[in-house]
Amino acid sequence: MPVGTLLGWSDLPADAGTWGLMDADTVRDLIEAASRHPRTRWCYTLTGLRDEAIAHACARGSHPWPQPQGSRGGPAAFGRRGSPSSWPS
């Protein structure tokens, strides 16, 4: 899933494995529901410019997903610590 879709910055569809292509809202709802199950594992794969995997990791333990209230404005729209809107000028 594109990170922009996951975080609400984009409405690009996402490939949900064997379930196929899903619209952005449906896949975000699926992620939120799956995050509440105790056996869900969060794994991340970073891909390069040619879509080859260049890094992969899985997190241990439970990580409930509070769906972000994102916008197409990108990360600065979140206004959280660590985002560009909170960086000193």
Side-chain angles (χ1 to χ4, degrees):
M1 162 185 302
V3 71
T5 300
L6 177 65
L7 297 176
W9 304 338
S10 167
D11 285 330
L12 287 173
D15 185 357
T18 58
W19 291 329
L21 201 58
M22 292 186 173
D23 66 82
D25 289 331
T26 301
V27 81
R28 283 190 289 263
D29 290 344
L30 177 65
I31 293 291
E32 184 178 10
S35 75
R36 292 189 299 264
H37 193 281
R39 292 183 61 192
T40 295
R41 286 180 24 163
W42 290 94
C43 294
Y44 309 92
T45 302
L46 182 62
T47 57
L49 296 176
R50 290 183 235 137
D51 292 330
E52 74 278 9
I54 58 175
H56 181 81
C58 292
R60 296 180 188 199
S62 178
H63 302 281
W65 179 257
Q67 197 172 103
Q69 300 300 313
S71 73
R72 289 189 186 180
F78 283 94
R80 288 186 281 176
R81 188 173 62 161
S83 70
S85 65
S86 67
W87 294 349
S89 306

